[in-house]
Amino acid sequence: MIRFIAVRLLKAVMILICITILNFFLIHMAPGDPAMVMAGEAGDSDQLFLDQLRERFGLNQPLYMQLFIYLSSVIHLDLGFSYRQGLPVLQLILDRLPATLLLSFTAFVISLGLGILGGSVASARQGRWSDSLISFVALIFYATPLFWLALMAVLLFSVQLNWLPGFGYSTVGSDFTGLAYATDVLKHLILPAGTLGLFFMAVYARMTRASMLEVNQMDFVKTAKAKGLRPGQIQRRHILRNAMLPVVTLAGLQAGQLVGGGVLIETVFAWPGIGRLMFDALTQRDYNLLLGVFVVSAAIVLFFNLITDILYRLVDPRIRVAS
C-alpha cells in the first residue's frame, strides 16, 4: 500500500506541474493584463504609467521567464502576491477554503446519500411506479439549470416562506459564538448545499440503479437467492456492495469537481468560498490569484483521485491482488 501511494503521489505531482504550466499559458493568452485593468480604473492610459505597472508586477519580462519564476515559487509553496487584494495569494485562498470545503462536503454527502438510496430503492422495485417516480424526480433535478434551481430555492424558502436565510455564510452583525454560531452557519448552508447536492444526486441514482440491476443478473446473486437468503440481505450484502465500484469512480471524480465547480452556487448565494474568489480574480485580471486558485483546485482534485484509488482496493479486493 505504501508503494502504491508513493507512486500515485509522484504521478500527481507531475500532473500538477503540467496543469500549472497549461493554466499559465491559457491565462496569459487572454486579452488584457492587470496593468491595463488597473490603469483603466485609475483613468490613466499613459504608456509610461502602464510600463511602470508592468515592471512592478514583473509583466515586462519574457513569458518563459515569468513561467520559470512562478514555478520556482510554487515549488516552495509560494503562490505569489495578489495585485488587487494586496495580500499573499495563499493567505487569501486559505481564508476562503474552509467555506468551500464545508459547502462541497455537505453537498457531496447529500448527493451521494440520496443518490445511492434512491438508486437502491429503484432497482429493488424495477418496473413499479416508485421506480418511475425516483427516475423522474432525479432527471428533473439534473435537467434543471443550476442557477434557476438556486434562485427558485431562494424565492421559495427565503422570500416566500422565510424559513431559511438566502445569502451569506452567517448573519451579518451577529455576535453568535459556539453552538449558536454553528447553528447559524448551518441555516445558511442548507440552501446552497441542498441545491448543489440535488443537482448531482440524479447522476448517482441512475448509476446505482443501472449497476445494481446488472449485478442482480450475475450467478452469485442467483446462488444467494437459491440458498434462501432474505431479499433485503441479498440487496445490501451481495448486490449493493458489488455495484459500488462504478459509483465510487464517479464519486471520486465529482468530489474534486465540487470544490472548484461551485462558482455559480457561491455567486448566487454570496457564499465566501474560493469559487467566488476565482470569479472576482477573473474579472479583475488578477493573474497570480487566479493561478493560485487553479493550482489549489487541481491539487484537491488529485487528492480525491488518490482517495478514490485507495477506496477501489478496499471495496474490491481483486484490484489489490491484480496491482
Side-chain angles (χ1 to χ4, degrees):
M1 180 63 75
I2 295 177
R3 179 178 176 274
F4 170 79
I5 294 176
V7 172
R8 288 295 189 276
L9 284 175
L10 180 60
K11 292 180 179 179
V13 170
M14 296 173 61
I15 293 173
L16 185 61
I17 293 175
C18 294
I19 291 175
T20 303
I21 294 174
L22 178 62
N23 286 330
F24 181 88
F25 283 114
L26 287 176
I27 290 176
H28 282 78
M29 287 172 61
D33 59 31
M36 294 179 63
V37 174
M38 295 180 69
E41 292 179 351
D44 190 348
S45 58
D46 182 67
Q47 186 63 40
L48 179 59
F49 181 64
L50 285 172
D51 293 339
Q52 290 175 348
L53 287 177
R54 290 194 175 102
E55 183 178 0
R56 176 185 172 186
F57 299 142
L59 298 173
N60 60 333
Q61 300 185 33
L63 195 58
Y64 70 88
M65 183 59 66
Q66 295 182 43
L67 175 61
F68 176 78
I69 294 173
Y70 185 75
L71 286 178
S72 301
S73 301
V74 170
I75 291 174
H76 294 88
L77 301 181
D78 179 12
L79 299 181
F81 199 80
S82 172
Y83 305 132
R84 305 303 302 269
Q85 306 288 343
L87 292 170
V89 169
L90 187 59
Q91 178 183 337
L92 290 170
I93 293 176
L94 291 180
D95 288 343
R96 300 287 193 99
L97 190 58
T100 292
L101 292 178
L102 177 62
L103 173 62
S104 302
F105 178 76
T106 307
F108 179 73
V109 171
I110 292 173
S111 61
L112 189 61
L114 292 180
I116 292 177
L117 177 62
S120 301
V121 174
S123 67
R125 295 178 163 273
Q126 181 186 10
R128 303 181 185 178
W129 67 268
S130 52
D131 177 22
S132 301
L133 178 63
I134 292 173
S135 299
F136 175 76
V137 171
L139 287 176
I140 284 292
F141 280 116
Y142 188 71
T144 304
L146 189 57
F147 74 91
W148 189 88
L149 190 63
L151 291 175
M152 291 303 103
V154 171
L155 289 176
L156 177 61
F157 295 104
S158 181
V159 177
Q160 295 292 334
L161 301 176
N162 198 25
W163 288 355
L164 297 168
F167 306 100
Y169 184 81
S170 59
T171 303
V172 178
S174 64
D175 297 326
F176 296 138
T177 57
L179 183 60
Y181 177 74
T183 304
D184 184 51
V185 173
L186 178 61
K187 289 180 180 178
H188 286 78
L189 178 65
I190 292 175
L191 282 184
T195 303
L196 192 59
L198 288 175
F199 179 78
F200 286 101
M201 174 270 296
V203 182
Y204 295 122
R206 300 289 294 179
M207 177 67 74
T208 302
R209 179 184 182 277
S211 184
M212 291 185 69
L213 289 178
E214 181 180 356
V215 173
N216 189 42
Q217 303 300 320
M218 294 185 176
D219 293 338
F220 68 89
V221 176
K222 297 177 181 178
T223 302
K225 293 178 180 178
K227 289 182 177 180
L229 296 179
R230 294 189 301 273
Q233 186 177 6
I234 296 175
Q235 192 80 0
R236 292 190 306 271
R237 298 184 58 184
H238 293 76
I239 300 178
L240 182 60
R241 182 177 179 182
N242 287 277
M244 279 297 97
L245 199 58
V247 180
V248 170
T249 304
L250 186 62
L253 293 173
Q254 289 192 338
Q257 292 177 358
L258 283 173
V259 176
V263 179
L264 190 58
I265 288 296
E266 292 184 5
T267 302
V268 172
F269 290 100
W271 190 262
I274 62 173
R276 180 70 180 272
L277 186 67
M278 178 172 61
F279 177 77
D280 294 338
L282 179 62
T283 57
Q284 297 170 352
R285 295 293 193 275
D286 196 342
Y287 285 170
N288 283 345
L289 182 55
L290 193 57
L291 279 170
V293 174
F294 285 160
V295 170
V296 172
S297 300
I300 293 175
V301 172
L302 292 172
F303 171 76
F304 279 113
N305 285 338
L306 174 62
I307 297 299
T308 304
D309 289 339
I310 295 174
L311 288 177
Y312 279 168
R313 299 162 69 88
L314 298 177
V315 172
D316 193 343
R318 292 172 297 180
I319 296 178
R320 182 167 62 249
V321 173
S323 57

